Structure formats: C-alpha cells, structure tokens
Amino acid sequence: MKLSINMAMTLDGKVVRPDGRWYGLTSSDDKTQMDIYRSQSDAVLIGKNSIINDNPIVKIRAVPNALNPRPVILVRKGTLPPDKHVFEESDHIPLVICTKSNLKEIKTSLENKAEIFALDSDDIDPKKVTGILKRKGYKNVLLEGGPKLNFSFLEADLVDRIYLTIVPYIIGKTGLAGIADHNSELPNFDKNGWVLKDHFTKRNEIFLVYEKS
C-alpha cells in the first residue's frame, strides 16, 4: 500500500491562514489537481479537525467518470456531527476509526452514517490504521489531514509520497504550522531525504511531487 500526503503551502511555508483554517489559499487549478490525486486513490484519510473546521467535499468533480475514494476519518476524542458533507455526499459509506474510549460516543451519533472500527487503545496509532486499510485491500491512500496528523504518519515512516502545491502568498505570522507540526523534530530528518519525481506549474502555482528516497 502506498500512502501519499497532499498539502498546499505558502511561499513562507505556512499551510493555514492566521485563523488556523485553509480556505481561500488555493486556486481552482489546485482543486483540479487535488481531484486528479484523489482519482488515483481508493481511500482518503481525513482527521477530525479537518472535518469540523473545513467540512470538505470528498467527491471528485474535475475528473469525468472517476471513482471516488472512500473517506476514512480518524477520531481520537469525542465524535463528529452527522450533518457534515462527508456523511451526506460521499459515494461510499465513510469508515470512522476511533479509540476504545470514544467508541460509545461515536456509535451514538454516527451508527447509521458510517462503518465504525475501534482501536484497542486510547490513541490513534498510524501503524494500526495502515494495517486496517491494507487488510481492507486499499492500494493507494491519500492523506488529507492537518499538520499534526501528517507528522504522526511521517514519524512512523509510513509516507511514500508528498504532493505539495506552492501558492503565491506570504503570511508572515509566526507560529503557523507547516506541512508537519509537532513540538519535536522528526528523527533523522536530515538523513532521510526525499527525491523530486515531478514538478510543473499552472499559472502562479508550482506543483511538486516528492517520493521517499
């Protein structure tokens, strides 16, 4: 199974606006390219915060006749409102992966909206998540989570590819996250390099594709 991260980043390395959300940073070209990446995937991983803050639409609109990937939502604490786009507009019933501590809460609010799988722990272990997806037969998984979720999968050495869009803005504010965010660095970050496999431009944006070396 191959796991890819897809993110957009400003010229000064930020992936969110000053209010912590991403809206308005990317163009229609980037949204089209995101649909192309989704069309090449059979599952898309999304974190709870992304669902709550951005309420993404996971259906592919820019690639005719493409099969939509299955949404897989990771929820470590609490639950999700059942009226979010991911539960109302997906071609597939979403898979919600939670912990043993919030299973009851998830079942109460989402039992008729999602397939629910609880890990035997109180945290979301990226290796257990990828194990579940492999057993379900998924071959190409796209991670569309936030910086903290990206970090957890990078730290576990589970990411094979990074799709990165450089958008033409400079925010300048300190403390805003990059594509991976944590209070410690990734181990051996300067020894585990990435290989640039593709790059192209569309108007004012640069699209980069890196793969694990």
Side-chain angles (χ1 to χ4, degrees):
M1 188 188 84
K2 284 192 174 294
L3 179 70
S4 304
I5 286 175
N6 182 33
M7 295 290 281
M9 183 177 74
T10 64
L11 293 174
D12 56 340
K14 312 297 196 300
V15 300
V16 293
R17 298 173 69 92
D19 62 2
R21 299 177 66 188
W22 65 267
Y23 65 91
L25 287 181
T26 58
S27 69
S28 59
D29 290 325
D30 180 68
K31 292 178 175 63
T32 296
Q33 194 61 39
M34 181 172 67
D35 272 359
I36 292 172
Y37 298 148
R38 285 177 171 179
S39 72
Q40 298 164 353
S41 308
D42 39 28
V44 55
L45 268 176
I46 313 169
K48 174 187 173 182
N49 288 340
S50 294
I51 298 294
I52 290 176
N53 294 333
D54 301 317
N55 197 16
I57 296 172
V58 297
K59 290 188 74 171
I60 295 171
R61 291 168 289 186
V63 182
N65 304 315
L67 294 176
N68 291 293
R70 186 184 190 185
V72 179
I73 309 166
L74 307 181
V75 186
R76 183 170 63 90
K77 290 183 179 179
T79 187
L80 287 166
D83 61 348
K84 294 296 184 180
H85 290 313
V86 71
F87 299 114
E88 300 293 335
E89 301 175 6
S90 301
D91 287 349
H92 311 273
I93 182 170
L95 171 63
V96 172
I97 299 177
C98 62
T99 67
K100 63 181 182 180
S101 59
N102 66 336
L103 174 60
K104 184 177 180 180
E105 193 175 356
I106 291 282
K107 280 187 172 181
T108 299
S109 60
L110 299 176
E111 192 162 27
N112 297 320
K113 292 283 188 175
E115 178 187 355
I116 300 166
F117 189 100
L119 301 176
D120 58 350
S121 63
D122 291 322
D123 205 352
I124 297 292
D125 184 336
K127 290 184 177 179
K128 291 181 179 179
V129 170
T130 55
I132 293 167
L133 299 179
K134 286 178 183 178
R135 289 195 295 274
K136 287 187 171 291
Y138 297 121
K139 303 297 185 185
N140 291 287
V141 177
L142 190 62
L143 175 54
E144 292 185 2
K148 288 182 171 57
L149 195 61
N150 289 346
F151 183 95
S152 68
F153 280 83
L154 286 163
E155 185 180 39
D157 196 27
L158 297 171
V159 180
D160 302 289
R161 184 186 297 114
I162 297 173
Y163 298 117
L164 185 62
T165 306
I166 307 299
V167 298
Y169 302 106
I170 296 175
I171 297 177
K173 182 180 179 181
T174 60
L176 297 179
I179 68 168
D181 189 46
H182 198 261
N183 56 14
S184 62
E185 72 279 5
L186 288 166
N188 299 315
F189 71 92
D190 54 349
K191 296 181 177 62
N192 299 326
W194 293 82
V195 177
L196 181 63
K197 289 294 185 179
D198 196 10
H199 60 95
F200 53 94
T201 61
K202 292 183 180 181
R203 282 176 276 202
N204 291 319
E205 294 173 331
I206 303 173
F207 297 83
L208 305 172
V209 181
Y210 281 92
E211 291 186 359
K212 188 185 298 180
S213 62

